[in-house]
């Protein structure tokens, strides 16, 4: 811990910063040699070699028989994930707008980030009273219709995401673990999650999953509306429109 603390500059850890430089050099110059990396980033060969061996152990780079380096399989997985997320917003935005116009309510696209749901795209209708959305806004995974993201996780990952104590936001918030797990099972079976005032008493929210090219749930698409003007017939209509929109996004992502 002393060595790590000593090499910090502000909030930057120097060794991590240099390791990223090494990885980027390998990415930009496939089959690059140790000596070239060392010269380009002005670091000693022994230090660069230690970093390359660490990156190689984690699958981020691989060493050829000729002693040169190129990206490994883990780096390719990271690149594919990053590309998919960028494509996700680009592909989803016009479909999200179309969904919002059809429902005349707020539509959002959310992903899991650091154990929470994160808004990465939105559409708000041009009406005075509407649900306000904000890109970058976070919400809990265990309450509201964003439980749809939690529902499709692997069981062991799902359990890690559920807090030991479930905070109550409203009288409708599920605070019992057994009841929450049963709700998640129902969401998996139905492919939709509907929330009536679980996070805000004045809000009805409907979410469905978006699938990546491999069939995994990569995001959730959502319609949120004020409770006073939302009837069961509206929820049914939103569900159909959401499933159609999610199918379009999933298809364009390769599913």
């Amino acid at each position: 811990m002393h060595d790590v603390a000593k090499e910090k500059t502000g909030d930057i850890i120097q060794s991590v910063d240099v390791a990223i430089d090494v990885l980027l050099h390998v990415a930009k110059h496939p089959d690059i040699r140790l000596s070239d990396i060392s010269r380009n980033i002005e670091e000693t060969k022994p230090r660069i070699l230690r970093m390359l061996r660490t990156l190689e152990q984690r699958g981020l780079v691989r060493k050829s028989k000729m002693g040169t380096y190129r990206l490994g399989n883990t780096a390719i997985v990271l690149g594919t994930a990053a590309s998919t997320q960028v494509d996700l917003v680009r592909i989803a935005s016009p479909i999200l707008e179309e969904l919002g116009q059809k429902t005349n309510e707020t539509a959002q696209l959310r992903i899991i980030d650091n154990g929470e749901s994160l808004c990465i795209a939105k559409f708000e209708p041009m009406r005075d009273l509407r649900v306000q959305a904000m890109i970058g806004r976070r919400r809990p995974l265990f309450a509201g219709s964003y439980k749809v993201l939690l529902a499709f996780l692997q069981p062991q990952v799902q359990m890690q995401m559920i807090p030991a104590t479930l905070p109550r936001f409203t009288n409708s918030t599920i605070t019992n673990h057994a009841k929450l797990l049963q709700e998640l099972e129902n969401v998996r079976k139905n492919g939709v999650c509907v929330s009536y005032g679980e996070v805000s008493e004045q809000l009805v929210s409907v979410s469905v999953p978006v699938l990546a090219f491999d069939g995994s749930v990569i995001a959730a698409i959502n319609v949120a509306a004020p409770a006073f003007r939302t009837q069961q017939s509206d929820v049914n209509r939103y569900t159909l429109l959401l499933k159609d929109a999610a199918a379009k996004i999933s298809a364009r992502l390769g599913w």
Side-chain angles (χ1 to χ4, degrees), residues 212-249:
F213 66 93
D214 60 355
S216 62
V217 173
I218 191 176
I221 192 169
N222 161 271
V223 168
F228 78 90
R229 67 171 177 237
T230 307
Q231 306 301 316
Q232 184 59 48
S233 58
D234 296 310
V235 171
N236 295 341
R237 185 167 63 91
Y238 297 162
T239 300
L240 292 175
L241 290 170
L242 278 163
K243 288 188 174 182
D244 180 63
K248 289 177 182 176
I249 297 170

Side-chain angles (χ1 to χ4, degrees), residues 22 34 37 41 43-52:
V22 171
L34 167 63
I37 300 173
I41 64 178
E43 288 284 349
T44 64
K45 286 184 181 180
R47 190 179 192 201
I48 298 302
L49 181 59
R50 288 197 302 272
M51 291 184 175
L52 284 168

Side-chain angles (χ1 to χ4, degrees), residues 94-235:
I95 299 172
L96 201 64
E97 181 176 353
E98 180 184 16
L99 171 67
Q101 289 174 344
K102 286 180 178 178
T103 60
N104 201 24
E105 298 291 358
T106 298
Q108 296 182 67
L109 182 74
R110 285 182 170 261
I111 61 172
I112 293 177
D113 184 78
N114 197 29
E116 299 173 299
S117 75
L118 174 70
C119 178
I120 59 172
K122 66 164 187 169
F123 171 85
E124 290 185 25
M126 299 297 292
R127 60 196 304 180
D128 292 337
L129 189 57
R130 64 186 185 273
V131 175
Q132 291 188 332
M134 183 183 298
I135 293 174
R137 178 177 286 168
R138 296 173 179 273
R139 288 289 183 263
L141 282 174
F142 61 87
S145 70
Y146 304 122
K147 290 194 298 292
V148 74
L149 289 166
L150 189 61
F152 289 91
L153 292 174
Q154 293 294 324
Q156 63 272 24
V157 179
Q158 186 183 89
M159 294 309 296
Q160 291 173 1
M161 295 282 188
I162 300 174
T165 301
L166 301 175
R168 181 181 295 280
F169 299 104
T170 72
N171 289 334
S172 299
T173 306
I174 298 174
T175 57
N176 177 276
H177 281 78
K179 187 176 179 181
L180 175 61
L181 292 175
Q182 183 58 57
E183 174 69 7
L184 295 178
E185 178 63 27
N186 293 337
V187 170
R188 278 196 300 275
K189 288 179 180 178
N190 298 324
V192 61
C193 185
V194 182
S195 169
Y196 295 95
E198 290 180 46
V199 179
S200 170
E201 291 178 348
Q202 293 80 35
L203 185 70
V204 175
S205 179
V206 187
S207 294
V208 303
V210 173
L211 306 181
F213 66 93
D214 60 355
S216 62
V217 173
I218 191 176
I221 192 169
N222 161 271
V223 168
F228 78 90
R229 67 171 177 237
T230 307
Q231 306 301 316
Q232 184 59 48
S233 58
D234 296 310
V235 171

Side-chain angles (χ1 to χ4, degrees), residues 50-119:
R50 288 197 302 272
M51 291 184 175
L52 284 168
R53 284 174 174 167
T54 302
L55 293 170
E56 185 178 14
Q57 187 176 15
R58 298 303 300 267
L60 287 165
V61 303
R62 57 188 175 91
K63 187 178 181 181
S64 73
K65 293 180 180 179
M66 302 297 292
T68 59
Y69 293 88
R70 59 171 48 226
L71 291 179
N73 291 335
T74 303
I76 294 171
V77 170
L78 287 175
T80 301
S83 176
T84 300
Q85 288 193 17
V86 171
D87 285 346
L88 177 61
V89 173
R90 178 180 57 81
I91 289 169
S93 292
I95 299 172
L96 201 64
E97 181 176 353
E98 180 184 16
L99 171 67
Q101 289 174 344
K102 286 180 178 178
T103 60
N104 201 24
E105 298 291 358
T106 298
Q108 296 182 67
L109 182 74
R110 285 182 170 261
I111 61 172
I112 293 177
D113 184 78
N114 197 29
E116 299 173 299
S117 75
L118 174 70
C119 178

